[in-house]
Amino acid sequence: MSDVIFRVAARVDLPAVLDLLADDVLGRSRDVGTVDARYERAFADITADPRNDLVVAEAGGEVLGCMQLTYIPGLGRHGAERLLIESVRVRSDVRGQGVGRQMMVWAVDQARAHGCALVQLTTDKSRHEAHRFYLSLGFVASHEGMKLAL
């Protein structure tokens, strides 16, 4: 797909982003496609934070994918900044058409332009296709991630 553009999400994109987040086995168990006060607050917090970008991939006026980019300053790696990529989703009817690859290449380019020394992401252990995808982009499964649900 060659006519994909990337832009920071606007409030009008929120329903489409929520639909993307809820459009898989794991997402259905933790997200809903209905905008409510909690999603509104989270969206406002993300857009107000200069170190966060909620990005949508769009073609023909339709949202095809989304991801959240968070720039993290750190002392490690001699004070290097890193980019954390989260909530990567591609609409199910366009998966396999290169949208996800374009999204990730664009995000890595943003990290380079921002002066980041590292790009990192997490992916659920059950997402075997996602693991193959990220490995094909040059990501390395170098760390074991852990989470504590609260």
Side-chain angles (χ1 to χ4, degrees):
M1 193 166 285
S2 61
D3 59 343
V4 178
I5 62 162
F6 303 96
R7 62 176 175 76
V8 172
R11 169 56 187 82
V12 69
D13 300 313
L14 187 54
V17 170
L18 295 180
D19 285 344
L20 287 166
L21 294 177
D23 185 27
D24 70 0
V25 173
L26 293 175
R28 277 188 287 281
S29 69
R30 23 180 216 220
D31 286 299
V32 295
T34 305
V35 177
D36 63 18
R38 290 173 66 184
Y39 285 128
E40 291 280 6
R41 184 177 58 250
F43 182 81
D45 289 347
I46 292 165
T47 57
D49 185 342
R51 292 195 170 278
N52 273 285
D53 287 320
L54 181 61
V55 175
V56 293
E58 177 183 88
E62 293 185 41
V63 173
L64 305 179
C66 66
M67 60 188 160
Q68 183 173 342
L69 309 181
T70 302
Y71 297 94
I72 305 170
L75 293 174
R77 298 178 182 257
H78 201 222
E81 189 162 50
R82 63 189 67 211
L83 175 64
L84 173 64
I85 305 174
E86 286 286 326
S87 300
V88 178
R89 298 290 194 282
V90 174
R91 210 170 68 193
S92 58
D93 64 323
V94 296
R95 287 184 194 140
Q97 297 180 33
V99 175
R101 184 166 298 276
Q102 289 178 61
M103 288 170 58
M104 295 305 294
V105 167
W106 185 86
V108 170
D109 287 345
Q110 295 302 300
R112 283 191 182 102
H114 200 83
C116 293
L118 183 72
V119 176
Q120 63 189 37
L121 54 83
T122 61
T123 181
D124 192 277
K125 287 186 177 190
S126 69
R127 294 185 188 273
H128 302 292
E129 289 180 31
H131 302 168
R132 284 190 294 276
F133 171 67
Y134 294 127
L135 289 168
S136 78
L137 291 166
F139 285 84
V140 177
S142 62
H143 290 67
E144 185 76 16
M146 295 185 186
K147 295 187 179 189
L148 176 64
L150 303 176

